Amino acid sequence: MMAETFDPKEEGRRIASEYLSKRGWARERRRSLDRQVNPGFQREEFEEKERQCDRTEEDAETLFSGKVELYRKDGSSQAKAVLWSIVDILGRRTDLGFFAKRIIDRLKRELELF
């Protein structure tokens, strides 16, 4: 069986896509909830669904942060290529979460040094 070759650009694309997918799902779910007409007696149910959206967004940020940190600490040329790929995909987007924006800004600063 032949071992798969590691493609840093594809790995960066996969990480960015996974983040955007999770975040997009949560945002779309929230939009759907906002369009619903909810009677007052269903308020607790609505709030729980809102909290689920919040948790999904937080999970996306946490997972993204963890994967980026893994490659930041690696320091190899392949790890830097993964980070460049992530910055290339997410660097110009305006729909990122708070922590993802900070992570991308930090990566931009760090990668300019290399």
Side-chain angles (χ1 to χ4, degrees), residues 51-81:
R51 284 190 294 275
Q52 288 173 349
C53 291
D54 292 343
R55 283 191 294 272
T56 301
E57 287 179 336
E58 289 170 7
D59 290 346
E61 298 267 335
T62 301
L63 186 62
F64 178 68
S65 175
K67 289 183 179 183
V68 167
E69 281 302 306
L70 180 72
Y71 286 105
R72 274 188 68 242
K73 290 179 181 177
D74 185 324
S76 70
S77 62
Q78 284 189 330
K80 284 184 179 61

Side-chain angles (χ1 to χ4, degrees), residues 77-88:
S77 62
Q78 284 189 330
K80 284 184 179 61
V82 170
L83 296 175
W84 272 112
S85 179
I86 292 170
V87 169
D88 187 47

Side-chain angles (χ1 to χ4, degrees), residues 11 22 25 32 46 67 109:
E11 178 67 7
K22 287 177 185 274
W25 181 91
S32 173
F46 174 78
K67 289 183 179 183
R109 286 191 312 271

